[in-house]
Amino acid sequence: MAMTLHVDIVSAEKEIYSGKAEMVFAPLVTGEVGVLPRHAPLLARMKAGEVRVRTESNEDLYFYVSGGLLEVQPYVVTVLADTALRAKDLDEAAALQAKERAEDALKNRQANIDYAKAQAELAEAVAQLRAIKRLREKTR
């Protein structure tokens, strides 16, 4: 039996996942990180993207996070996300609309637009679409 670690994925609204895993992958601001049991303690900021949990049965579970914090202890990983959803619950049509709105806002260059907010919305929509695409590829 392989060593495992406990994983908790929570958003501001609710707990999304709690269980054992062999490995966790998370999108950090500095790049993707893979966490195995007995990993060195770590506290890092996450960017919008996909968290992947490899369970004891070697199944990969996919979650979308819009950012937040990743806390790693030797046998515990906690994902504290601003927003977290199971990848299968993502709405592709809404993500496409959000992407188009953000791109239009950035193109039009109006004085009353918050560029940082528009760029953040664009990054979030692209991350959602990427998670949807990966989920589709994995389920074929």
Side-chain angles (χ1 to χ4, degrees):
M1 183 173 186
M3 287 196 329
T4 60
L5 43 82
H6 182 80
V7 180
D8 287 314
I9 300 175
V10 295
S11 72
E13 295 92 29
K14 63 182 176 180
E15 179 178 84
I16 306 298
Y17 175 81
S18 181
K20 295 207 177 285
E22 288 185 359
M23 190 166 189
V24 177
F25 302 89
L28 301 183
V29 172
T30 56
E32 186 175 58
V33 66
V35 179
L36 290 164
R38 297 177 20 184
H39 193 285
L42 171 71
L43 183 62
R45 285 187 322 135
M46 292 187 307
K47 65 180 180 179
E50 180 181 73
V51 172
R52 185 167 36 119
V53 176
R54 181 158 299 144
T55 65
E56 293 176 283
S57 60
N58 210 30
E59 174 189 8
D60 284 343
L61 304 176
Y62 299 90
F63 302 89
Y64 166 78
V65 295
S66 64
L69 293 175
L70 175 72
E71 180 187 16
V72 177
Q73 295 297 323
Y75 294 97
V76 179
V77 173
T78 305
V79 174
L80 301 168
D82 301 329
T83 302
L85 296 166
R86 290 183 178 274
K88 65 180 181 171
D89 295 336
L90 289 172
D91 183 351
E92 184 174 15
L96 284 169
Q97 286 179 343
K99 179 179 179 264
E100 289 172 10
R101 277 194 309 270
E103 287 173 339
D104 287 345
L106 290 170
K107 277 185 208 172
N108 292 336
R109 298 221 176 251
Q110 297 170 350
N112 62 348
I113 192 167
D114 182 350
Y115 287 102
K117 183 179 177 189
Q119 287 176 326
E121 289 172 357
L122 179 60
E124 190 172 322
V126 168
Q128 285 184 14
L129 292 169
R130 193 176 305 123
I132 291 168
K133 181 181 175 191
R134 284 189 187 152
L135 182 63
R136 280 198 185 130
E137 290 171 355
K138 304 289 187 224
T139 57
R140 285 185 186 166

